[in-house]
C-alpha cells in the first residue's frame, strides 16, 4: 500500500521530535487529498498499519537471522512497534501484557 510506505518513509526521515506534519503530508500525497483533509483518525489508522507492516518485516528478518545463526538475537518486536506507531507504553503491567498480546496476534495474522 502506497500510503503505508509513504508513512514509513516519513517516519524514517524525521529526526527525533514531532513527525506529525510530515506523516500527514505523506498520507495526503498517497491518498490524493489535501493535508487539511487528513483527519486524526486517518493519521492514527495509517500509523498503526505502517507500524504493523514494519513489525512483520522485522519478525521475518529475525526469523531468517535465527535460521542462519541460531545464536542471533533480535530486538523486541513490541518495543519496535511502540516506537514506529508513536504510541506510549501502557502504564500498568496488565495493560502492557494485553497490548503486547494484541500486537503479537495482529502480527501473526498478517
Amino acid at each position: 500500500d502506497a500510503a503505508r510506505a509513504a508513512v514509513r518513509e516519513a517516519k524514517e526521515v524525521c529526526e527525533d521530535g514531532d513527525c506529525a506534519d510530515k506523516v500527514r503530508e505523506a498520507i495526503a500525497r498517497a491518498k490524493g487529498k489535501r493535508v487539511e483533509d487528513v483527519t486524526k483518525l486517518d493519521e492514527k489508522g495509517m500509523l498503526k498499519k505502517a507500524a504493523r507492516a514494519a513489525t512483520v518485516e522485522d519478525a521475518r528478518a529475525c526469523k531468517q537471522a535465527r535460521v542462519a545463526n541460531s545464536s542471533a538475537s533480535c530486538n523486541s518486536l513490541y518495543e519496535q512497534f511502540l516506537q514506529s506507531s508513536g504510541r506510549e507504553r501502557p502504564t500498568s503491567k496488565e495493560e502492557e501484557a494485553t497490548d503486547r498480546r494484541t500486537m503479537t496476534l495482529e502480527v501473526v495474522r498478517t
Side-chain angles (χ1 to χ4, degrees):
D1 183 48
R4 277 186 269 178
V7 168
R8 189 175 319 128
E9 182 180 321
K11 292 284 281 184
E12 289 173 359
V13 170
C14 184
E15 282 89 38
D16 296 332
D18 188 25
C19 300
D21 291 336
K22 291 182 181 181
V23 169
R24 290 175 76 85
E25 290 172 9
I27 293 170
R29 275 194 313 273
K31 292 194 171 213
K33 293 182 173 182
R34 295 182 312 159
V35 175
E36 300 82 31
D37 294 338
V38 176
T39 65
K40 285 282 187 188
L41 187 61
D42 289 337
E43 184 180 345
K44 285 180 80 173
M46 202 51 62
L47 278 172
K48 185 174 181 178
K49 287 179 184 178
R52 189 175 348 162
T55 304
V56 168
E57 289 175 14
D58 292 341
R60 288 184 179 141
C62 178
K63 180 181 176 185
Q64 289 176 347
R66 286 190 175 169
V67 167
N69 180 2
S70 61
S71 63
S73 64
C74 300
N75 295 330
S76 168
L77 295 177
Y78 181 66
E79 297 296 330
Q80 292 173 347
F81 177 78
L82 287 178
Q83 181 180 5
S84 60
S85 66
R87 292 178 45 199
E88 296 291 324
R89 178 182 296 281
T91 54
S92 74
K93 289 185 179 185
E94 293 82 13
E95 289 175 354
E96 182 177 340
T98 301
D99 193 41
R100 187 180 296 265
R101 278 192 296 274
T102 302
M103 184 276 305
T104 303
L105 288 172
E106 288 177 358
V107 169
V108 169
R109 288 182 188 144
T110 302

